[in-house]
Amino acid sequence: LRILVLGSAAGGGLPQWNCACANCSSARAGRLKPRSQSSIAASADGERWLLVNATPDVRSQIEANPQLHPRSRVRGSPIADVILTSADIDCVAGLLTLREMRSFRVHAARPVLDALARNPILRMSVTPQRALALDEPFEAAGLVVTPFAVPGKPPLWLEGEAAPDPADAIGLELRKGGRRVVYVPGCAAVTESLSSRVEGASALFFDGAFWRDDEMLALGLGERTGRAMGHVSLSGPDGALARLGGLKVGRKLLIHVNNSNPALDPTSAEAGLVRRAGFEIPEDGQEIAP
Amino acid sequence: LRILVLGSAAGGGLPQWNCACANCSSARAGRLKPRSQSSIAASADGERWLLVNATPDVRSQIEANPQLHPRSRVRGSPIADVILTSADIDCVAGLLTLREMRSFRVHAARPVLDALARNPILRMSVTPQRALALDEPFEAAGLVVTPFAVPGKPPLWLEGEAAPDPADAIGLELRKGGRRVVYVPGCAAVTESLSSRVEGASALFFDGAFWRDDEMLALGLGERTGRAMGHVSLSGPDGALARLGGLKVGRKLLIHVNNSNPALDPTSAEAGLVRRAGFEIPEDGQEIAP
């Protein structure tokens, strides 16, 4: 079971095109490593790969990782399956890049597939497709994948288009033999059921978007709280560090870390607290074999 | 009048995510410079910039070019205007990246704006907008811009959605003082009216997608001819080199060059013919001051 971190940042990436906050400025100055938008690839054999989400950065993410380069002389790709965990722009926009003689299937929950299939610019990008059902395991790239609902919300661009659905935001459990990885790139609250699922996993990748809930407002970068955007904070008594830090998990990793998050600077106090809670923030291109 | 080449490749870029043709393989091996998807930025003063088309690569194109970095401490961008020359995915998908506290206006022809405004995932990306009218000059980033129709077609994703319109594909004339640049990233035929417009320009950037019309079929990379995709070939008696090579133009540059085009390899016979016809193929990041 190999997990390749394609991107570890939240929407916008680090740096973000129009952001000059401390972290984005440090990234442009070479003091912080740049990070692309949150995505992993997973494989049982290193030959066929599962791509989890298709971010706007997918073209550069594929080029930066030879594991995902085409091997034939004409058109082809080791990407055998794509799973979308939500219809967020940051999870689906890359489908517009993955065009022309594709060989993969797109797996997503019914509300996500339907929203994409209704959309003229995206509809060609979700063929062939397969609707996944919550808590029903299926096979993808040699792995057994179990999707499960997490607290979340439909993306902004679909608000008012359809009724909220438990499958608007999902996490994935990826299994091979006795190894089990839990991947949760967006999550609005750490519930008891989530904690039980995570307990004993070989690795956990969890939503590290914001350090605190009013982070975007405090920095003048946005007008909504983390929770309003579907993300639990890292800090605080109900935060991810407190609620997940005590669980017995082989490796705990934060992904989908927003450029506003002070923990991205390894010299910050917040980064120290992340480490003390047993979490690491992987770099783009890092491969984990849990 | 400064022109910054953000990308010089056609849709897919060089290398393309799923392509292992000779050029894409050479790019991965470091023998050819990589190229992102076709786009330029233009400016009268180096402070405010006009972005022509928003490609799927726009995030890395902005990061690769400090001219386009934000200058304030929070959110901002020197990009003051965006013009879309068609509704092709390669021209508009980057709008999904240029989100959050934007400061630019989107200029495009009415059929393009309408198609985007009808589309749920894109509609928020075209506000504020301004419909441009063919042959009517307007001001953008300190330049006088005149859009004009070129032979073309609506994009694949809109086929059957609306009647073909002369403004489905446009070229741009950018003027400052006595300097005049003609930018035509996609063009199905070189007409007399196009040649007259190009004659005497300070610089021409022209569609160099394909060397020959059946290139994609011959290489096993696709099933359509260049012309069916809206692109005149470089070679042949009606090709761009023959029809434009004799015109008096300060600098002639090819952009929107497809990864299948043998002229991308500077050691090829075709590259020699391009140079002999007076054309150059600029590199990503090259700045031209015509």
Side-chain angles (χ1 to χ4, degrees):
Chain A
L1 178 44
R2 294 165 64 181
I3 306 282
L4 173 60
V5 177
L6 298 176
S8 49
L14 176 74
Q16 178 172 321
W17 75 281
N18 63 344
C19 190
C21 75
N23 283 339
C24 287
S25 301
S26 291
R28 288 200 184 90
R31 292 189 300 271
L32 287 184
K33 290 215 174 159
R35 294 174 186 270
S36 64
Q37 293 166 87
S38 190
S39 177
I40 57 167
S43 180
D45 58 11
E47 291 300 315
R48 288 184 311 145
W49 288 82
L50 159 66
L51 178 67
V52 182
N53 292 323
T55 83
D57 295 321
V58 70
R59 182 173 170 249
S60 53
Q61 289 172 333
I62 289 174
E63 287 314 320
N65 293 284
Q67 300 94 321
L68 302 183
H69 290 181
R71 309 191 193 323
S72 75
R73 286 306 294 168
V74 280
R75 294 283 167 94
S77 168
I79 299 172
D81 294 278
V82 175
I83 300 181
L84 309 173
T85 62
S86 89
D88 273 334
I89 289 178
D90 311 322
C91 295
V92 307
L95 292 173
L96 295 172
T97 288
L98 303 178
R99 295 181 295 149
E100 297 186 14
M101 298 191 176
R102 302 183 318 167
S103 51
F104 56 77
R105 274 191 311 181
V106 178
H107 310 256
R110 181 50 66 198
V112 173
L113 286 177
D114 286 351
L116 302 182
R118 273 197 310 272
N119 193 287
I121 203 167
L122 285 163
R123 66 182 164 215
M124 287 187 291
S125 304
V126 285
T127 307
Q129 61 172 244
R130 196 193 132 274
L132 53 79
L134 294 176
D135 305 310
E136 287 188 11
F138 63 97
E139 188 273 338
L143 303 170
V144 179
V145 181
T146 307
F148 56 93
V150 297
K153 52 177 275 304
L156 208 53
W157 70 276
L158 284 173
E159 273 178 13
E161 291 261 322
D165 189 290
D168 282 333
I170 64 170
L172 302 176
E173 214 175 65
L174 309 173
R175 282 175 191 268
K176 186 197 170 192
R179 315 307 293 164
R180 185 168 68 90
V181 172
V182 178
Y183 183 73
V184 183
C187 184
V190 181
T191 60
E192 281 305 314
S193 100
L194 180 64
S195 300
S196 334
R197 189 184 293 271
V198 166
E199 179 75 29
S202 317
L204 165 69
F205 291 83
F206 192 79
D207 180 359
F210 301 111
W211 180 256
R212 49 183 263 200
D213 197 46
D214 64 351
E215 186 169 304
M216 295 292 278
L217 293 108
L219 293 171
L221 300 176
E223 289 160 2
R224 293 190 303 158
T225 62
R227 203 167 294 123
M229 291 186 269
H231 300 285
V232 63
S233 300
L234 290 176
S235 66
D238 290 324
L241 297 188
R243 300 293 297 269
L244 296 167
L247 300 180
K248 215 155 94 181
V249 175
R251 272 176 96 165
K252 298 188 192 109
L253 305 107
L254 298 177
I255 36 83
H256 198 276
V257 186
N258 199 54
N259 47 56
S260 58
N261 193 327
L264 279 178
D265 181 345
T267 65
S268 68
E270 292 84 354
L273 292 168
V274 163
R275 288 189 294 267
R276 273 174 46 194
F279 283 84
E280 54 189 306
I281 304 180
E283 287 174 6
D284 288 15
Q286 196 173 328
E287 203 178 302
I288 315 275
Chain B
L1 178 44
R2 293 164 64 180
I3 306 283
L4 172 60
V5 178
L6 297 176
S8 49
L14 175 75
Q16 178 171 322
W17 75 282
N18 64 345
C19 190
C21 74
N23 283 339
C24 288
S25 301
S26 291
R28 287 199 185 91
R31 291 189 301 271
L32 287 183
K33 290 215 175 160
R35 294 173 185 271
S36 64
Q37 292 166 89
S38 192
S39 178
I40 57 168
S43 180
D45 58 11
E47 291 301 316
R48 289 184 310 145
W49 288 82
L50 158 67
L51 178 67
V52 182
N53 292 323
T55 83
D57 296 321
V58 70
R59 183 173 169 250
S60 52
Q61 289 172 334
I62 289 174
E63 287 314 320
N65 292 283
Q67 299 95 320
L68 302 184
H69 290 182
R71 309 191 193 322
S72 76
R73 287 305 295 169
V74 281
R75 294 284 166 93
S77 169
I79 299 172
D81 294 277
V82 174
I83 301 181
L84 310 172
T85 62
S86 88
D88 274 334
I89 288 177
D90 310 322
C91 295
V92 307
L95 292 173
L96 295 172
T97 288
L98 303 178
R99 294 182 296 149
E100 297 185 16
M101 299 191 174
R102 301 181 321 163
S103 51
F104 57 77
R105 273 189 313 180
V106 178
H107 310 257
R110 182 47 66 200
V112 172
L113 287 177
D114 286 351
L116 302 182
R118 273 197 311 271
N119 192 286
I121 203 167
L122 285 164
R123 66 182 163 212
M124 286 187 291
S125 304
V126 286
T127 305
Q129 62 172 243
R130 195 194 133 274
L132 53 79
L134 295 177
D135 305 311
E136 288 188 11
F138 63 97
E139 188 274 338
L143 304 170
V144 178
V145 181
T146 308
F148 56 92
V150 296
K153 52 176 275 307
L156 207 53
W157 70 276
L158 284 173
E159 273 178 14
E161 290 262 322
D165 189 291
D168 282 332
I170 63 170
L172 302 175
E173 213 175 67
L174 309 173
R175 284 175 190 268
K176 186 198 170 194
R179 315 306 293 164
R180 184 168 68 90
V181 172
V182 178
Y183 183 72
V184 183
C187 185
V190 181
T191 59
E192 281 305 314
S193 99
L194 180 63
S195 300
S196 336
R197 189 183 294 270
V198 167
E199 178 76 28
S202 316
L204 166 69
F205 290 83
F206 192 79
D207 180 1
F210 300 111
W211 180 256
R212 46 183 264 200
D213 197 47
D214 64 351
E215 185 168 304
M216 295 292 278
L217 293 107
L219 293 171
L221 298 176
E223 288 161 2
R224 293 190 304 157
T225 62
R227 203 166 295 125
M229 288 185 271
H231 301 285
V232 62
S233 300
L234 290 176
S235 65
D238 291 324
L241 298 189
R243 300 293 298 271
L244 297 166
L247 300 179
K248 216 153 95 183
V249 175
R251 270 176 96 166
K252 297 187 191 110
L253 306 105
L254 298 177
I255 36 83
H256 199 276
V257 185
N258 199 53
N259 48 55
S260 58
N261 193 327
L264 279 177
D265 181 344
T267 65
S268 67
E270 291 84 354
L273 292 168
V274 164
R275 288 190 293 268
R276 273 175 48 193
F279 282 83
E280 54 189 305
I281 304 180
E283 286 173 8
D284 288 14
Q286 196 172 329
E287 202 178 303
I288 314 276

